[in-house]
Amino acid sequence: MRYAIAIVMLFCAVQAWAVNVVVSDASARATAPGQESATVRFSITSKKEARLVAIVSPVAGAVEIHSMTHDNGVMKMRAIEFLQLPAGKMVKLGASGNHVMLLNLKHSLKAGDNVPLTITVEFADKRKEKINVNVEVKSSSPSRNEHEHHTH
Ligand SMILES: [Cu+2]
């Protein structure tokens, strides 16, 4: 098993020259029974100026990019159509600030699961690139005060 992972990683390293967009540290928290949404965290770096325009996952009815702003001391979230990716700069999507939500989950996320995510990025010349990502589901830690969803 460990050997197989090493081969996959080597393969990725060899392929890296052809890739314009790199996504790393993709993770989500295990969901509680009945929980219909989950936040996905990842870091994304595009070599060229681009926009993150779409995300899909087979486990979610919809995936949204959310931005969070402070408005007179009140935290507000809204879905945004795209996220700007400056050339060469790592953009982090976490539990606060800009984040990605899996909505209408088709089944609960269990620790140890891998959830596929397909991220579409559009470059200035309108060319698009799709990046397939495996999101690692980690056990939820109730001790940490995290951004849980919430009604919009
Ligand atoms: Cu949200």
Side-chain angles (χ1 to χ4, degrees), residues 72-95:
N72 287 325
V74 180
M75 204 105 86
K76 284 188 176 171
M77 320 190 30
R78 63 189 179 95
I80 52 175
E81 297 219 346
F82 63 86
L83 183 70
Q84 202 70 39
L85 303 174
K89 191 168 174 279
M90 183 186 274
V91 174
K92 288 189 177 188
L93 289 146

Side-chain angles (χ1 to χ4, degrees), residues 16-94:
W17 59 270
V19 174
N20 288 307
V21 181
V22 175
V23 175
S24 58
D25 301 324
S27 71
R29 294 275 172 206
T31 57
Q35 187 180 336
E36 288 187 344
S37 64
T39 307
V40 178
R41 302 143 186 264
F42 58 83
S43 299
I44 180 165
T45 311
S46 176
K47 274 185 198 168
K48 296 180 236 170
E49 171 105 26
R51 289 170 164 189
L52 196 175
V53 291
I55 305 178
V56 291
S57 173
V59 304
V63 184
E64 290 184 354
I65 313 164
H66 286 177
S67 79
M68 196 135 61
T69 50
H70 285 274
D71 188 8
N72 287 325
V74 180
M75 204 105 86
K76 284 188 176 171
M77 320 190 30
R78 63 189 179 95
I80 52 175
E81 297 219 346
F82 63 86
L83 183 70
Q84 202 70 39
L85 303 174
K89 191 168 174 279
M90 183 186 274
V91 174
K92 288 189 177 188
L93 289 146

Side-chain angles (χ1 to χ4, degrees), residues 66 77 99 101 147 149-150 152:
H66 286 177
M77 320 190 30
H99 60 276
M101 306 280 329
H147 160 77
H149 236 226
H150 61 223
H152 285 272

